[in-house]
Amino acid sequence: MRMPRLRPSTLSGRYARTAYLFLLPAILFFAFMFYLPIGNVVATSLRTGPQADQWAGFGNYAQALADPAVAHSFLVTLTFAVAEVIGSIVLGLALALALDQPLRGRVVFRVLLLVPYLTSVAIVGLLWRNILDPELGILNRVLMAAGLPGQQWLNTAPLLTIAAVTLWQSVGYTMVLFLAGLQGIPETYYEAAKIDGADAWRRFWRITLPLLAPTTLFVSVMAVISGLQAFGQAYIITNGGPGDATDLLVFHIFNVAFRTRDFGYSSAQSVLLLIVIVAFTVIQLRAGRRGEVTY
């Protein structure tokens, strides 16, 4: 008995239905956990009042764009994000290069560097707040035991301090990403460069860096998104202070929402922050594609 032939369109249609069936749980999860809340925030941003029950239109957006406090928080957040991007790329790549060498115990060091990333922001924040305490902190105690004066770490350079703490927590993850990129570069490239007389520095600039461009792009995109969304560091370590020196934008939005109870205004700021994050991501991805290296 001859089996009936199935047309390609019929097969593709069946495959598509099967694929959508398997994707349905993920689609429902994203719809209810991400897209629905985003839609609710957008709807709330168009209203005002303690209960967000009065129509405001785009008044909250106009107010946010003209608010000096919002502009200051955005500038602080942007500075924080830039520091995170530069630190993540430079320090993460340096650690990856070091731990890609045939060293004894390198697996142990990789694990130790990754442990802070697996720790929650709340625990890391409390840990470093106690370490940096000017009176009881262990860091000042070590300095004074060595005959050096103690420092007001959270008053002298508070934004740099919380950026360093955030980098300490996240650099292990960045190191793993760069390490995976390094191990994906064919060894034959380096062997050919050695035959041509290229030294280690030239091999790094001409082979390693260009072929790590996709990894560097991913690290920079994730660092920008993480930096613009940072909240726990300012909330736990400095509480936005001293003054408003560490008033990160998400922390500012939190204060507007839960301390002044203006949910419409805070929602408008959240939507503007989302637009900024998407814009930065698109710009970075387009810039990365233009300089993409193929091999």
Side-chain angles (χ1 to χ4, degrees), residues 20 23-32 35:
Y20 282 122
L23 287 173
L24 184 60
I27 293 173
L28 292 176
F29 175 80
F30 276 98
F32 284 100
Y35 302 125

Side-chain angles (χ1 to χ4, degrees):
M1 181 176 179
R2 182 177 295 179
M3 297 295 294
R5 283 190 173 184
L6 296 176
R7 296 179 180 179
S9 59
T10 305
L11 288 173
S12 63
R14 289 185 178 180
Y15 287 141
R17 286 193 293 270
T18 303
Y20 282 122
L21 183 62
F22 281 105
L23 287 173
L24 184 60
I27 293 173
L28 292 176
F29 175 80
F30 276 98
F32 284 100
M33 299 301 295
F34 291 93
Y35 302 125
L36 189 61
I38 290 175
N40 185 41
V41 169
V42 173
T44 305
S45 69
L46 301 175
R47 299 180 178 276
T48 188
Q51 303 297 325
D53 54 357
Q54 303 173 19
W55 179 257
F58 292 100
N60 287 325
Y61 291 94
Q63 181 183 352
L65 293 174
D67 191 344
V70 175
H72 171 77
S73 294
F74 177 72
L75 183 60
V76 170
T77 306
L78 190 60
T79 305
F80 177 86
V82 170
E84 286 303 300
V85 171
I86 296 174
S88 296
I89 294 175
V90 174
L91 190 55
L93 180 56
L95 290 172
L97 289 169
L99 295 178
D100 192 40
Q101 305 303 315
L103 303 173
R104 294 184 62 180
R106 61 179 181 176
V107 176
V108 176
F109 284 108
R110 292 175 185 176
V111 173
L112 291 176
L113 286 169
L114 192 59
V115 167
Y117 178 75
L118 304 176
T119 309
S120 71
V121 176
I123 295 175
V124 170
L126 290 173
L127 172 67
W128 279 98
R129 189 179 70 181
N130 291 328
I131 291 175
L132 299 172
D133 187 274
E135 301 296 333
L136 304 175
I138 188 173
L139 188 55
N140 274 352
R141 287 179 176 268
V142 171
L143 289 176
M144 288 185 287
L148 298 173
Q151 302 294 321
Q152 297 286 336
W153 301 102
L154 299 179
N155 292 329
T156 306
L159 187 61
L160 181 61
T161 300
I162 65 171
V165 170
T166 306
L167 184 61
W168 174 84
Q169 182 183 14
S170 63
V171 73
Y173 174 66
T174 307
M175 178 267 298
V176 170
L177 293 176
F178 277 119
L179 196 58
L182 287 172
Q183 294 177 353
I185 299 176
E187 191 64 28
T188 53
Y189 289 10
Y190 295 107
E191 294 173 357
K194 288 179 182 179
I195 294 174
D196 290 339
D199 57 12
W201 187 250
R202 181 171 293 184
R203 291 196 301 269
F204 174 75
W205 281 102
R206 298 296 180 87
I207 298 175
T208 305
L209 272 186
L211 295 182
L212 282 178
T215 304
T216 306
L217 174 63
F218 179 78
V219 169
S220 64
V221 169
M222 297 304 295
V224 168
I225 294 174
S226 176
L228 293 176
Q229 291 181 330
F231 167 74
Q233 299 86 340
Y235 180 70
I236 297 172
I237 300 176
T238 62
N239 196 30
D244 55 0
T246 58
D247 189 24
L248 300 176
L249 189 54
V250 176
F251 181 72
H252 179 80
I253 293 171
F254 168 82
N255 286 331
V256 172
F258 296 102
R259 293 183 180 176
T260 65
R261 310 294 294 179
D262 196 342
F263 295 106
Y265 188 37
S266 63
S267 297
Q269 295 180 42
S270 300
V271 174
L272 291 175
L273 177 60
L274 174 62
I275 294 172
V276 169
I277 291 174
V278 171
F280 272 113
T281 303
V282 171
I283 292 171
Q284 287 178 281
L285 292 177
R286 288 189 175 181
R289 287 174 184 173
R290 291 179 182 176
E292 190 175 19
V293 177
T294 59
Y295 59 94

